[in-house]
Amino acid sequence: GDTLVLNVHNKLDVATSLHSHGIYNNGTNYFDGPDMVTECGIPPGESFTYEINTTAQSGTFWIHGHTRHADVDGLRTPFIIHSNKPPEDYDEELLITLEDWFSQEFYARMEYVDNHKYDHDKLSVNYATGLLNGYNANRTAPIKFRPGKRYRLRVISMATNNWSVFRISGHKMTVIEADGVRSMPLEVDGLNLGPGQRNSVIVTALNSTDFNYAFEFISTSSTLNNESGEKPKIYQGVVEYREGAPIKDIPEQSNKEPVWPDDMALQAVDRQPWLPVDRTIDLPVTLYRDSLRATFWSLGKTLYQPTIVPTLYTAMSMGELASNKSVYAPQTNAYVLRHLEVVEFVISNPFINDHTFHMHGHDFQVTEAGPCGELVHGYTEIDYRKSGPWPIRRDTVQVRAFEYVRLRFRADNPGVWRFHCHIAPGHDYNGLAVILIEAPELLQKQQRIPDQMKEMCKMQGIPTAGNAAGNPGFDLTGLPPAITLTPSYH
């Protein structure tokens, strides 16, 4: 496989970093990208080179900023790794990126949060414009089809807040990939992607050039109130068989629900069976909303907050104490994992907001989903759903309102990995994350942080050794206290 070399020069006035979303970075944890987890960020005016080994992977990925939520403001790009043996025969490959674009920069909007003036129900700047391949989706170039040809569409949600629905009138899609993992073919009417998710689908073009067809892109968010013309935002463009041909009008079938990809229905091509669980970790989504309706989220009751020393540097410098979660401080929500143990996460979301959760350094089996919480606000009881014998693996999973999801993965990648909500505004920004400290005793033996990365920390006055506070042992003096949330259900 190839090694992707990313030569980054930071022309911003703040530090920056890049994360290759979905890439394992096995043996090179320090290239993973999240600031104050695996690095200090590239200081303004400085340059750094990431080396991304792609040997073990192929599929549809993307690269984005992972310092100060720069991905929200546009630091993001597709990343495709081609396999020597394509999973399906097709004639042509097309890339489709779906994004949300906001009229104000991220931190200008988040001032409302920091100043406790945030009421997302009334903040118009939180309603985004939908972009398809970088352009307003109503004005993007036609998607060109030739009769009878088979197309692989690689569809990437590079959104940071909104869900993205994509479908083509009069055409079925067959899913063959989810987040870089090949899946057995599954026919659907369209795609419904949460922030950070990807699918590849096969679409067979029709045999006539008499008509062109409409594609539809719907951008919407459960975090915002319904607003005419704003939520949802519906965009249409053209799938072009012949320039100037009329667009065929295909009425909606009101009595038929569209079929979307379901993780419980998708099965992995490599037929990896359910992993036997060694350890189960419950991760309840917790929401706190104060009297001014400022919202804070956590997995469990502790709000994730960055530490004084990047967490990887703590794991590398604390010797035997690196296996004791106390050195990472309560506010990292750290879980220390044994090498090769099979871990099951149970993520329960008893609230009206949807989430997508992304795991760095791994993909995971999605094995079960079902209702949780009080099922209020018009939601009704649904069946508990389990995967078939070969669960699909993903690196980003949807956890819908009033639903739980079970995930399984093997801790086979020593390192420090972030697991977090991929909705930036109000969710990841406000602490909806945990840190996985995986086999720290092996990490210390197998990896060495490049000297340049430590030098970039020094340039910013960030210590590179010690516990979360930069101290020896369990002395966390100098670190702000952890914030524990009391759940709110309003």
Side-chain angles (χ1 to χ4, degrees):
D2 294 332
T3 296
L4 175 67
V5 178
L6 296 171
N7 296 311
V8 183
H9 179 66
N10 183 12
K11 291 187 176 181
L12 302 174
D13 58 3
V14 294
T16 196
S17 64
L18 292 181
H19 169 59
S20 297
H21 186 114
I23 299 301
Y24 300 148
N25 284 305
N26 195 307
T28 55
N29 184 199
Y30 41 81
F31 285 146
D32 191 46
D35 67 308
M36 299 312 296
V37 178
T38 61
E39 64 171 275
C40 300
I42 305 167
E46 297 298 317
S47 299
F48 182 69
T49 298
Y50 295 89
E51 296 182 7
I52 309 301
N53 190 319
T54 67
T55 300
Q57 295 179 263
S58 63
T60 308
F61 306 93
W62 59 305
I63 297 170
H64 60 79
H66 218 304
T67 296
R68 293 179 58 84
H69 299 283
D71 55 330
V72 181
D73 294 328
L75 186 54
R76 53 200 184 198
T77 189
F79 177 26
I80 308 302
I81 305 175
H82 291 281
S83 171
N84 292 329
K85 298 179 180 179
E88 292 282 338
D89 292 329
Y90 50 86
D91 300 296
E92 192 173 338
E93 185 173 297
L94 301 175
L95 177 65
I96 295 176
T97 61
L98 306 174
E99 305 172 65
D100 45 17
W101 184 257
F102 297 89
S103 61
Q104 284 189 5
E105 290 185 359
F106 178 78
Y107 273 88
R109 291 187 293 123
M110 290 305 102
E111 286 181 10
Y112 290 86
V113 176
D114 295 337
N115 295 327
H116 282 211
K117 297 178 180 178
Y118 181 61
D119 187 342
H120 61 66
D121 299 342
K122 298 177 182 177
L123 196 58
S124 62
V125 293
N126 273 339
Y127 292 99
T129 297
L131 304 182
L132 191 148
N133 289 345
Y135 293 89
N136 182 305
N138 282 329
R139 297 194 290 271
T140 193
I143 298 171
K144 296 190 177 184
F145 276 9
R146 291 179 293 164
K149 299 295 184 182
R150 283 166 56 83
Y151 292 88
R152 177 179 184 164
L153 306 186
R154 295 182 184 265
V155 186
I156 305 176
S157 170
M158 300 197 303
T160 57
N161 185 77
N162 287 14
W163 257 249
S164 301
V165 171
F166 179 78
R167 56 185 175 180
I168 300 174
S169 177
H171 296 69
K172 294 285 188 179
M173 300 178 175
T174 300
V175 180
I176 60 166
E177 179 212 349
D179 294 356
V181 176
R182 290 175 55 190
S183 69
M184 296 181 184
L186 178 69
E187 187 176 85
V188 296
D189 293 314
L191 299 177
N192 190 345
L193 296 170
Q197 291 190 305
R198 296 90 64 206
N199 278 125
S200 281
V201 295
I202 299 294
V203 179
T204 301
L206 305 178
N207 288 318
S208 170
T209 61
D210 291 345
F211 293 97
N212 294 329
Y213 294 80
F215 70 74
E216 183 177 65
F217 165 34
I218 302 174
S219 181
T220 189
S221 169
S222 66
T223 65
L224 300 172
N225 279 358
N226 290 326
E227 190 76 27
S228 178
E230 295 286 356
K231 178 194 172 182
K233 281 193 172 179
I234 301 174
Y235 302 86
Q236 287 192 328
V238 177
V239 174
E240 185 180 274
Y241 282 81
R242 177 171 56 85
E243 186 175 358
I247 295 177
K248 189 172 181 64
D249 182 21
I250 301 178
E252 286 278 350
Q253 298 181 23
S254 58
N255 60 345
K256 181 179 179 294
E257 285 291 323
V259 177
W260 310 108
D262 179 359
D263 287 340
M264 298 304 110
L266 285 171
Q267 298 284 280
V269 163
D270 62 11
R271 301 194 176 198
Q272 182 187 98
W274 288 44
L275 293 170
V277 174
D278 297 311
R279 178 183 181 189
T280 296
I281 298 174
D282 290 319
L283 295 174
V285 174
T286 302
L287 164 69
Y288 172 76
R289 182 171 285 152
D290 67 15
S291 60
L292 296 174
R293 293 185 64 78
T295 56
F296 302 89
W297 295 90
S298 65
L299 280 170
K301 293 184 178 180
T302 303
L303 202 71
Y304 172 83
Q305 296 169 281
T307 50
I308 292 174
V309 176
T311 308
L312 172 62
Y313 293 51
T314 294
M316 294 290 280
S317 66
M318 290 299 290
E320 293 183 0
L321 287 182
S323 295
N324 189 316
K325 67 179 293 183
S326 298
V327 302
Y328 304 103
Q331 49 264 65
T332 62
N333 284 330
Y335 290 89
V336 179
L337 307 182
R338 300 186 305 274
H339 187 49
L340 298 182
E341 73 173 325
V342 174
V343 181
E344 178 180 67
F345 280 176
V346 183
I347 308 167
S348 52
N349 177 27
F351 298 101
I352 198 169
N353 296 123
D354 301 328
H355 304 274
T356 57
F357 285 93
H358 171 53
M359 184 179 291
H360 291 228
H362 291 275
D363 49 38
F364 44 74
Q365 295 180 336
V366 188
T367 61
E368 185 179 320
C372 77
E374 301 176 13
L375 291 174
V376 295
H377 301 288
Y379 285 78
T380 58
E381 185 73 19
I382 60 175
D383 292 334
Y384 292 87
R385 311 185 313 280
K386 290 190 176 184
S387 170
W390 308 296
I392 193 61
R393 299 189 305 280
R394 318 191 64 122
D395 57 65
T396 308
V397 67
Q398 298 185 25
V399 183
R400 291 291 196 167
F402 306 108
E403 187 170 83
Y404 76 89
V405 174
R406 289 182 184 266
L407 316 174
R408 297 182 181 188
F409 67 98
R410 190 179 300 278
D412 57 3
N413 193 4
V416 174
W417 308 108
R418 202 160 187 260
F419 180 73
H420 63 100
C421 181
H422 221 276
I423 297 174
H427 292 215
D428 187 27
Y429 175 78
N430 275 358
L432 193 49
V434 301
I435 299 293
L436 308 180
I437 315 294
E438 190 171 330
E441 71 288 350
L442 290 179
L443 174 65
Q444 293 171 4
K445 295 176 182 178
Q446 296 174 354
Q447 298 187 39
R448 182 179 181 274
I449 298 171
D451 291 339
Q452 186 188 356
M453 300 192 82
K454 294 182 179 180
E455 183 63 27
M456 291 192 302
C457 295
K458 183 179 178 180
M459 294 171 66
Q460 299 173 77
I462 300 172
T464 58
N467 63 25
N471 300 325
F474 301 110
D475 176 13
L476 297 176
T477 302
L479 197 65
I483 298 174
T484 300
L485 301 184
T486 301
S488 300
Y489 292 91
H490 63 284

